[in-house]
Amino acid sequence: MKKLLSLLFVATGFMFVSCDEDLTETFVPGQLTDQVAVTNSNELQRLLNSGYNILTNREAAVFTSVFTDEATKGFNNGGQGVNTEIVFNIFPASAAPTTIWQSNYFALARINRVIDFSSRIVAVDAADQALINRIKAEALVLRAYAHLNILAYFSPNTKDDAALAGILANRIIGTDERPSRVTNAVFYTQIHQDLDDALAIFAVDGASTSERYARPVFAKGLKARAYAYKGDYPNAEIWADDVITTSGIQLATTAQYTDMFWRDTYAANREIIFTLHRTQQQNTQGGNLHNGWCSVRPNAGGSPFYEVGRALFNILNANPSDIRRNTIIAPSSVIDPSYQTSADYLSTDRLILHKHGGVATGTNTWATTATNANNNGHKVMRLSEMYLIKAECRAAASDLIGTATAIDAIRDARYGSDQALPVYANVTAAWKAVLDERRLELAFEGHRYIDIKRLGVQAGISGLDRDPMDYNTDGLNIPGGDPANLPLTSHKWALPIPQAEINGNGGIQQNAGY
């Protein structure tokens, strides 16, 4: 089935509404049925902006939080997730895999056209040609990013070159084509080729220094992330070190950290490597990041249908000096110290999430759902992830002190003071420390599902860490949410290929178990 998608080009602080409309084939990724008329660098930029805009989709972050052990049923829950993600029910027709698949491939449709048109536009002068080249480079980085997302969610094993990833969309796909999935090896080769090509262009033609653009430091960070997903730790460490030591970006202070998440205020060269920006004009309940967990605003009065999981809260609450505790947990929360014996756990223990658009005190949160109101951008990559990849690389090398040193750098920044260097008894404990720190640092940003999938075995965990009150009969009474129902061996650690894709592309291979 074909869907009509208006080209609303919103990115990097400005808006353009296209007078053209294009048709996108739902079930064939990377494909548009009609060519979009692009004749100059200005139009090429606008087309790329639409790709940025499509990627500002919250589904991965929300799905990850609810399906794993970050979020739980909220006191204003109207049925959201109770029969699906919370209890690990996921099928080819489910919303989460469909949205994650389509948002990345719809973006790739725009991105591939940018790359194609960039070689056909006649520049007006040398400066214009350099601009066209830079736009192409950004498109190459975004293409690598979208392909890595597909691989991470839909491949059964990100470290196995022979495992299937998704459909390679490195070109404009014809309306009569029904492409098959290709292997991780093919995806990784394309990802690194795109990133290398982009970096080569940036080196000659320059690049933006704004965190709102797919700039060189993001390309380098993506190489580190991709190599880490693959388990190629020598290369992952090379690129993580490059970003840490040469980018000029530093970890945020405690004050900068909350400003970054609550108000989208970014201090110069602090923390943010790349963010998918959203404008006030884009404010809609169906698109706002904070509305993935609440109906109106991120506080107790904003109708939160998901809350912070009790197990995660217990970890955060044990360290009140850690800025991540107050960044995640809203001041409007109601904390029941006797929650384990509460006769009405849902009402007496309200752990409100306000990481995206919250406020230190009071009820007037920065983000809310209203016409032309504030709504948060997506922090796609931050410097702390590079330190976490560095820690992962050191664990892979059995360097316990090196692992601790990388993690300690993050903790020093989050506590605002020097912290004792962690000590690990063995390599398994070091891997567990990496996974645990990623859980705190990257909570509600869309990483936990992928992290458990690829690091759970090395960390020696059996599965999710949910508090029994979030699923047993004495608490929320959602027995299907028992982590025992999602062992690390479950096929559900790879999302199903969406039914919409299968309906239109019958030859595509479905993941095992679906």
Side-chain angles (χ1 to χ4, degrees):
M1 183 180 72
K2 297 175 182 177
K3 291 184 178 179
L4 189 66
L5 297 178
S6 62
L7 284 180
L8 179 62
F9 297 157
V10 184
T12 63
F14 68 94
M15 175 181 291
F16 171 82
V17 181
S18 174
C19 59
D20 300 315
E21 292 179 326
D22 59 357
L23 294 172
T24 301
E25 190 73 34
T26 303
F27 47 79
V28 182
Q31 173 186 302
L32 298 175
T33 63
D34 294 320
Q35 293 289 333
V36 180
V38 175
T39 60
N40 56 57
S41 58
N42 186 49
E43 292 172 349
L44 190 68
Q45 179 69 70
R46 291 170 175 174
L47 183 59
L48 180 60
N49 290 347
S50 75
Y52 278 106
N53 183 49
I54 293 169
L55 288 170
T56 62
N57 188 288
R58 71 190 183 207
E59 187 61 42
V62 178
F63 161 77
T64 290
S65 70
V66 180
F67 194 82
T68 63
D69 47 18
E70 292 179 342
T72 189
K73 178 182 177 181
F75 73 91
N76 273 135
N77 188 283
Q80 294 94 333
V82 174
N83 297 312
T84 52
E85 288 89 350
I86 291 176
V87 294
F88 319 122
N89 278 339
I90 193 161
F91 308 101
S94 297
T98 301
T99 303
I100 293 170
W101 178 275
Q102 290 184 345
S103 63
N104 282 284
Y105 279 118
F106 283 172
L108 283 166
R110 305 300 205 281
I111 291 164
N112 282 329
R113 272 176 165 67
V114 171
I115 296 168
D116 181 65
F117 282 122
S118 69
S119 64
R120 292 193 272 145
I121 294 173
V122 178
V124 297
D125 55 27
D128 192 47
Q129 185 60 60
L131 174 59
I132 292 168
N133 294 344
R134 290 196 296 271
I135 293 170
K136 177 184 178 180
E138 289 180 33
L140 287 167
V141 176
L142 292 181
R143 187 164 75 178
Y145 169 63
H147 276 120
L148 189 56
N149 289 341
I150 292 293
L151 185 154
Y153 281 99
F154 293 93
S155 174
N157 182 354
T158 65
K159 298 177 182 178
D160 182 0
D161 273 351
L164 291 178
I167 293 170
L168 189 68
N170 62 347
R171 59 185 175 82
I172 298 171
I173 298 176
T175 59
D176 58 344
E177 295 185 65
R178 298 295 179 266
S180 298
R181 295 168 71 188
V182 299
T183 64
N184 287 348
V186 174
F187 257 56
Y188 281 127
T189 297
Q190 184 66 56
I191 287 166
H192 287 294
Q193 185 64 62
D194 282 347
L195 294 172
D196 290 341
D197 289 348
L199 287 169
I201 294 171
F202 287 139
V204 174
D205 294 297
S208 172
T209 59
S210 170
E211 67 280 341
R212 296 180 182 180
Y213 289 86
R215 53 184 175 159
V217 66
F218 180 47
K220 293 177 179 181
L222 277 177
K223 288 184 73 71
R225 182 187 286 182
Y227 279 125
Y229 283 6
K230 190 180 187 301
D232 181 348
Y233 288 115
N235 276 311
E237 188 164 22
I238 288 171
W239 289 99
D241 280 341
D242 188 298
V243 174
I244 292 169
T245 60
T246 71
S247 68
I249 300 173
Q250 297 177 309
L251 292 169
T253 65
T254 54
Q256 291 165 346
Y257 192 78
T258 52
D259 278 348
M260 175 175 67
F261 282 107
W262 291 347
R263 290 178 286 277
D264 277 13
T265 300
Y266 309 137
N269 294 320
R270 287 285 182 169
E271 193 79 34
I272 296 291
I273 292 174
F274 178 59
T275 181
L276 286 164
H277 180 65
R278 284 176 59 86
T279 68
Q280 291 178 325
Q281 290 78 16
Q282 288 177 281
N283 191 302
T284 62
Q285 189 177 59
N288 296 335
L289 182 56
H290 68 275
N291 285 136
W293 298 270
C294 64
S295 295
V296 182
R297 61 169 71 236
N299 63 18
S303 190
F305 45 85
Y306 293 128
E307 296 176 16
V308 178
R310 237 303 169 169
L312 176 58
F313 171 80
N314 288 343
I315 297 170
L316 292 166
N317 204 45
N319 298 288
S321 297
D322 187 339
I323 193 61
R324 294 172 293 195
R325 191 269 185 207
N326 288 341
T327 302
I328 293 173
I329 308 299
S332 56
S333 298
V334 178
I335 301 167
D336 185 353
S338 302
Y339 76 96
Q340 292 171 308
T341 57
S342 173
D344 189 7
Y345 171 63
L346 189 63
S347 297
T348 65
D349 199 57
R350 300 180 175 184
L351 309 176
I352 312 303
L353 171 68
H354 80 151
K355 185 172 186 177
H356 305 296
V359 66
T361 59
T363 60
N364 189 24
T365 58
W366 185 84
T368 190
T369 308
T371 301
N372 294 331
N374 295 321
N375 65 106
N376 296 87
H378 298 239
K379 285 74 177 171
V380 173
M381 183 175 287
R382 298 187 285 113
L383 185 64
S384 58
E385 183 185 348
M386 297 298 105
Y387 280 95
L388 289 164
I389 290 174
K390 173 74 172 181
E392 197 174 323
C393 295
R394 290 296 84 212
S398 300
D399 179 3
L400 306 187
I401 294 177
T403 304
T405 300
I407 289 175
D408 188 56
I410 298 173
R411 291 187 178 177
D412 288 350
R414 302 304 174 240
Y415 282 78
S417 62
D418 185 50
Q419 300 297 299
L421 191 71
V423 177
Y424 310 126
N426 50 50
V427 172
T428 300
W431 279 111
K432 178 67 161 50
V434 172
L435 187 59
D436 287 349
E437 200 67 26
R438 290 183 69 93
R439 183 184 188 185
L440 299 181
E441 179 63 21
L442 304 174
F444 301 98
E445 296 179 57
H447 292 266
R448 182 69 169 163
Y449 176 83
I450 299 167
D451 287 348
I452 294 176
K453 169 182 179 174
R454 65 188 188 86
L455 300 177
V457 172
Q458 292 100 312
I461 66 171
S462 59
L464 301 179
D465 175 31
R466 289 181 173 178
D467 192 289
M469 290 297 285
D470 282 341
Y471 59 84
N472 70 17
T473 54
D474 293 329
L476 298 183
N477 193 24
I478 312 175
D482 188 333
N485 294 322
L486 188 70
L488 293 181
T489 55
S490 173
H491 67 276
K492 295 180 181 180
W493 290 105
L495 296 184
I497 304 304
Q499 191 63 47
E501 178 69 34
I502 294 171
N503 289 345
N505 186 5
I508 193 171
Q509 308 93 317
Q510 180 58 276
N511 278 328
Y514 297 106

